[in-house]
Amino acid sequence: MQPTSPILVTGGTGRLGRHVVARLRDAGCDVRVLSRRSQRPADGIEIVTGDLATGEGIEAAVDGAAVIVHCAGSAKGDEDKARNLVQAASQAGAPHIVYISVVGADRIPVVSRLDRAMFGYFASKLAAERVVADSGLPWTTLRATQFYDLFLLVAQQMAKLPVIPVPAGFQFQQIDEQEVASRLAELALGNPAGLVPDMGGPRVYAMADLLRAYLRATNRRRPIVSLPVPGEAARAIRAGANLAPEQAVGKRTWEDFLAERVGSNS
Ligand SMILES: NC(=O)c1ccc[n+]([C@@H]2O[C@H](COP(=O)([O-])OP(=O)(O)OC[C@H]3O[C@@H](n4cnc5c(N)ncnc54)[C@H](OP(=O)(O)O)[C@@H]3O)[C@@H](O)[C@H]2O)c1
């Protein structure tokens, strides 16, 4: 069923959200995007300026929206952004909230100060999931693994170092954010489903291998050294808490992504 009222996409300017906006437009939906910065509107896309951290401008963003795809996020404070969003949404009506979280949010313990400094993001995503689930609004939450686009940024920064330090035993199962966007759009056009199965990329890679593939694709050579990372959160990641091997539903591999984005030597 396609709603006639606009679908609000928070974070519709971000890596993931802009593809969600495109998918919903392709499906013929009117889309509203919330952004902190004023943007040039495009065909069928309304822009509302607001800030989920302060609450400014959110009432106008949620007004009349039957579905809200909540893709806005940052390294810290996603639970506060989610709280401000669901409060405004509850006052405006009973929209279906579709939330994007991260695989491992419920399995990576963030207990010490070190855990919090390095991996506080996972605790913040779990807290935001709970805000959505306890909101009284109809909801759907999808947990995805890390996006290739984000890891590309990490690889680009790390490759500037003469020697690249890599946390010992860390593995990742990145996924193409466009594939996640398609799934989110599908969920937004469906009925509220609660916590749906995780979405992971097609392969699990050692972090060092991901970097080696990037170095090959960009014709660089750098020594990679393994660095032990202390703490409970790092231990959980070494044990694979950030992976979803049984949900390896993504199709595009890191090598495919690199061949398209940075060259054909991967
Ligand atoms: N990146 C990953 O590997 C990954 C993996 C799994 C899940 N996720 C989740 O997917 C979501 C999107 O990630 P992404 O990588 O696409 O993020 P991104 O590219 O960094 O984009 C973040 C988006 O959030 C918006 N935003 C941030 N703070 C805001 C605020 N205070 N008020 C309103 N909007 C705000 C930004 O909009 P403006 O700058 O226009 O205001 C931007 O559109 C996040 O919830 C993230 O936790 C990401």
Side-chain angles (χ1 to χ4, degrees), residues 139-213:
W139 62 278
T140 302
T141 290
L142 171 68
R143 292 176 180 148
T145 53
Q146 278 71 33
F147 305 152
Y148 290 137
D149 237 353
L150 182 66
F151 195 81
L152 179 61
L153 280 182
V154 172
Q156 285 165 339
Q157 294 307 313
M158 288 182 127
K160 291 180 183 162
L161 301 169
V163 175
I164 305 181
V166 169
F170 276 30
Q171 294 180 293
F172 292 98
Q173 190 187 346
Q174 281 101 337
I175 190 163
D176 184 342
E177 56 270 18
Q178 297 199 41
E179 294 177 345
V180 178
S182 297
R183 175 73 175 132
L184 275 182
E186 178 186 47
L187 293 168
L189 298 174
N191 292 321
L195 184 64
V196 296
D198 290 352
M199 208 175 166
R203 282 180 58 188
V204 174
Y205 299 81
M207 186 171 172
D209 289 340
L210 289 164
L211 286 165
R212 283 191 194 102

Side-chain angles (χ1 to χ4, degrees), residues 7-233:
I7 296 184
L8 170 64
V9 182
T10 74
T13 56
R15 260 184 297 269
L16 172 69
R18 64 201 161 96
H19 296 297
V20 175
V21 170
R23 298 296 179 281
L24 292 172
R25 285 296 300 139
D26 290 346
C29 304
D30 287 334
V31 177
R32 187 183 288 161
V33 167
L34 172 68
S35 172
R36 289 165 297 179
R37 295 160 287 139
S38 59
Q39 311 272 338
R40 202 167 340 136
D43 186 34
I45 303 173
E46 179 193 357
I47 307 289
V48 173
T49 309
D51 189 329
L52 287 164
T54 62
E56 189 192 329
I58 308 183
E59 288 80 5
V62 298
D63 185 41
V67 179
I68 299 174
V69 187
H70 181 31
C71 296
S74 52
K76 286 184 182 167
D78 277 5
E79 65 275 43
D80 300 324
K81 293 195 252 322
R83 197 169 297 112
N84 286 335
L85 179 68
V86 299
Q87 268 170 12
S90 304
Q91 280 160 18
H96 173 196
I97 310 274
V98 180
Y99 183 54
I100 179 70
S101 186
V102 64
V103 168
D106 57 332
R107 294 194 298 243
I108 296 176
V110 177
V111 286
S112 65
R113 195 178 294 181
L114 179 75
D115 290 339
R116 198 160 299 285
M118 292 185 73
F119 305 102
Y121 167 74
F122 289 93
S124 161
K125 294 305 284 184
L126 183 62
E129 281 186 16
R130 288 180 176 150
V131 168
V132 170
D134 296 344
S135 65
L137 296 170
W139 62 278
T140 302
T141 290
L142 171 68
R143 292 176 180 148
T145 53
Q146 278 71 33
F147 305 152
Y148 290 137
D149 237 353
L150 182 66
F151 195 81
L152 179 61
L153 280 182
V154 172
Q156 285 165 339
Q157 294 307 313
M158 288 182 127
K160 291 180 183 162
L161 301 169
V163 175
I164 305 181
V166 169
F170 276 30
Q171 294 180 293
F172 292 98
Q173 190 187 346
Q174 281 101 337
I175 190 163
D176 184 342
E177 56 270 18
Q178 297 199 41
E179 294 177 345
V180 178
S182 297
R183 175 73 175 132
L184 275 182
E186 178 186 47
L187 293 168
L189 298 174
N191 292 321
L195 184 64
V196 296
D198 290 352
M199 208 175 166
R203 282 180 58 188
V204 174
Y205 299 81
M207 186 171 172
D209 289 340
L210 289 164
L211 286 165
R212 283 191 194 102
Y214 171 77
L215 292 170
R216 264 199 311 279
T218 54
N219 291 316
R220 272 175 246 219
R221 286 171 198 274
R222 296 280 185 283
I224 294 177
V225 294
S226 199
L227 213 69
V229 180
E232 288 303 306

